[in-house]
Structure formats: C-alpha cells, structure tokens
Amino acid sequence: MFDTRMLSSDSSDIEYGAKLINDGEVVGMPTETVYGLAADATNENAVKKIFEAKGRPQDNPLIVHLSGVEMMDKYVCNVPELAYKIAECFCPGPITMVLPKRDIIPYITSAGLDTVGIRIPYHKTARELIDACGKPLAAPSANLSGSPSPTTAAHVMNDMKGRIPAIIDGGACAVGVESTVISFEGEGIRLLRPGYVSVEDLKAFGVPVYCDKGITEAVAANEKVLSPGMKYKHYSPKANVTIVTGELDKFTQYVSEHNGEDVYAMLYDSDAAFYPYKYLTYGNNAKEQAAQLFGVLRKADEIGAKQVYARCPSQDGVGLAVYNRLLRAAGFEVIRV
C-alpha cells in the first residue's frame, strides 16, 4: 500500500518519477491520448506490478513508449520501410506500430507474443520522463482494468491511490482516446485499434488498409490479440451502457419507454435543447467526443447513473475510435430504432 504522491511536470518531479521507475516501481504518466501506468519495459518484475495495479489479464499486451524514432532499432527488428514513413509523418504522436520485438523486451510485456507495440508519445512530459529513465516505458492506460480510461491526473488518483507511489500531473489529455494501433500485412496496413490517426490518414500512404474484425466485433476469450483494447469488456463505468442508433426523436421515444430515476442519456451537445429527460453531453463532433468520452463515462458513475443510453457517434475519421470505445463500454449492446 502506497501513500500515492501527486507530482508536477517540472524537472525535479520528473527526475523523482524516473528514480522510482528505475527502482522498479510504477508511475502514472501523462500522454496526449490518456494517462498511462509507466514502468521499465525491460524489467519483468516492474511490468508485473503494472498488471497487479490495474488488475489486468496478462494475455493483454502492453505498448512500449520511446522518446524518439532513433530508439526503435534497439527494441524491434525487421522494421518495414513503410513503418519509417509512417513514423516520419505521425511520430511523435498518437500511433502505435506492432513490430517484431528484440529479446530485450520480455515476453510478459508482449503477452507472450514475438511482436510488440511501439509508440512515441507527443506529450512533452512523457518524452522527458522516458529520457530521464533512459529506458523504454511500458504504459497501458492508468485505470483499473475494464473501467473508463483516465484523461486527467485526478482520474488516475481516483483509480490508483494506494496502488502506485506517484502520479505526474501533465494536465488534461488533448486527444482523449488511446492511440491508433496498426500492424503490417504484406504491402498493406492492418488497423487493430482505431484512434486519432484515422483509416483515411493511413490510406494516404497508397497501400491497402484492412480493418481488423475486433474493431467492431467481440473477440473470443481464447483468441490471441496483437493489441490492447481488442479483448474483454473495456472502458466501462459501473452503469450499464447501451448504444442507441437513429434520429433524435426516435432515440427520445425509445428512452421514454425505458426511462427511470437512474437513467441518463448521453447526447451530442446540439441535442440538449430538444431532449426532455436527464442527460450528459459529450461534444458535437468526433474530435470533441474523443476528448470528452471517458470523462463523461466517469461522470455517469459520479452522479449515480445505473443505465446510460448513448447516441451513436459517427464511424468516420476519429469517430470510429469513439464508436469502438463505446461498443466495448456497452459490451457490444446496440439498439437500432
């Protein structure tokens, strides 16, 4: 049991966080996507502490965070030329590339796979922490496994108080959903988890882009996955979440037939003036929804919601990432009206 400290992002606190990590501990780390639980990716005992803090299944691979492209060759091999082109375009940034790992990355980090996801975060504090450690950092989202990902340091403290020694406060996350995860298949790209870097962005490289079935379908319990976020119920508040597709009038009618004291809708901002029942809003467009989604799901628990009916987001661009996260929060429960 730790007396969890909230650190700032100044240089002395980053050095203190790095010392904890180099001593084999886990530290809450800000990134532009969501906050992560950072530990030395090459230290098996430290990585075990990530799984313990989260209550995370060990067949769920971790993403390894680097501070620059120049670090890649030390930790992965057989990198295709396309990967370097993507890195040049989007790194540092919210994209993860699954590549063959070198032996320096232990199998506990990659969930027994010969590949590992590599990411170079855009967030300045994250890169400063990696540089201060001098090591790659394994860093899944800093939430209890299955609950909504944290986009503020306060969210991390809510989930991780007593479980980790420190959290570095780097402000609210700008993107708000986890990174896009891709692998390389022949001459093409396979999208394993959608994020801020969209299908349309990837198609601009002039190669085929294949969307994995796990983006919109449940993955079997015994199936190996290459990316986090593809398996298990994820991102879910204590409230039951149901996605409802259809126009606002049909949505409103459906909720009226299932309404109750602890029932809330999750609406676009522009819907609010026309909706007569209890609600939360999560933005008007895909980028706003990505930034606000997890905070709103956490808010649902704070206000005691037992049932949340969410208006279905667009599946274009970043909207696919929002839809993917909502699908998992809802346990794939979708009502069409």
Side-chain angles (χ1 to χ4, degrees):
M1 189 75 171
F2 294 98
D3 180 14
T4 306
R5 288 182 56 183
M6 185 68 80
L7 306 176
S8 74
S9 56
D10 68 26
S11 58
S12 60
D13 278 1
I14 288 172
E15 289 293 339
Y16 177 70
K19 182 181 185 307
L20 288 171
I21 289 170
N22 285 335
D23 287 344
E25 298 296 345
V26 177
V27 171
M29 175 181 78
T31 81
E32 72 278 15
T33 56
V34 300
Y35 273 74
L37 284 181
D40 177 358
T42 66
N43 181 332
E44 290 189 30
N45 290 330
V47 172
K48 284 178 186 175
K49 292 180 182 180
I50 294 176
F51 288 102
E52 290 165 2
K54 282 181 65 73
R56 180 186 178 102
Q58 291 198 11
D59 63 346
N60 206 359
L62 305 182
I63 290 170
V64 172
H65 293 66
L66 310 177
S67 62
V69 175
E70 68 279 359
M71 294 178 71
M72 282 176 53
D73 287 344
K74 185 174 179 181
Y75 303 105
V76 292
C77 58
N78 301 323
V79 180
E81 187 61 32
L82 180 57
Y84 288 113
K85 290 179 181 177
I86 289 171
E88 183 179 356
C89 187
F90 295 118
C91 296
I95 190 164
T96 295
M97 297 184 289
V98 176
L99 297 161
K101 76 176 189 68
R102 294 193 185 274
D103 290 342
I104 192 171
I105 300 295
Y107 279 108
I108 187 171
T109 303
S110 65
L113 300 170
D114 291 324
T115 56
V116 68
I118 294 290
R119 177 163 118 74
I120 302 163
Y122 179 79
H123 199 291
K124 179 173 177 281
T125 301
R127 295 202 312 279
E128 287 175 347
L129 181 64
I130 297 165
D131 284 338
C133 292
K135 298 183 175 74
L137 299 183
S141 55
N143 56 308
L144 293 172
S145 190
S147 65
S149 298
T151 53
T152 68
H155 293 163
V156 184
M157 183 64 80
N158 184 67
D159 283 18
M160 291 293 145
K161 187 175 182 179
R163 292 172 174 264
I164 61 176
I167 301 159
I168 298 174
D169 187 350
C173 299
V175 172
V177 291
E178 296 83 356
S179 61
T180 302
V181 181
I182 61 172
S183 63
F184 298 93
E185 188 171 301
E187 298 299 314
I189 297 168
R190 178 162 293 277
L191 180 67
L192 301 173
R193 182 178 72 186
Y196 194 83
V197 177
S198 68
V199 172
E200 293 80 2
D201 292 331
L202 296 170
K203 285 181 176 178
F205 288 90
V207 299
V209 177
Y210 312 102
C211 290
D212 195 273
K213 68 176 184 179
I215 291 172
T216 55
E217 297 178 23
V219 174
N222 62 350
E223 192 170 339
K224 280 269 190 184
V225 295
L226 296 177
S227 164
M230 295 179 71
K231 200 172 179 182
Y232 307 110
K233 189 174 182 180
H234 268 63
Y235 320 117
S236 185
K238 296 181 180 70
N240 185 64
V241 177
T242 304
I243 299 172
V244 181
T245 69
E247 297 301 319
L248 180 60
D249 58 341
K250 299 292 186 183
F251 175 94
T252 303
Q253 180 182 339
Y254 181 85
V255 176
S256 73
E257 294 166 0
H258 298 81
N259 209 2
E261 183 179 351
D262 302 321
V263 174
Y264 285 78
M266 206 166 97
L267 307 173
Y268 311 154
D269 289 0
S270 57
D271 296 337
F274 308 100
Y275 187 79
Y277 307 116
K278 295 189 294 292
Y279 65 86
L280 299 163
T281 62
Y282 74 124
N284 259 334
N285 58 55
K287 289 183 179 179
E288 291 176 0
Q289 290 169 345
Q292 297 178 37
L293 174 64
F294 291 136
V296 172
L297 291 176
R298 285 177 175 266
K299 182 70 174 177
D301 282 342
E302 290 172 17
I303 62 179
K306 297 293 189 293
Q307 172 68 53
V308 175
Y309 292 108
R311 285 210 70 199
C312 189
S314 161
Q315 295 178 46
D316 296 327
V318 184
L320 182 61
V322 179
Y323 180 66
N324 168 266
R325 303 317 190 268
L326 263 180
L327 267 180
R328 279 160 172 73
F332 293 87
E333 186 178 2
V334 181
I335 304 294
R336 291 172 174 81
V337 295

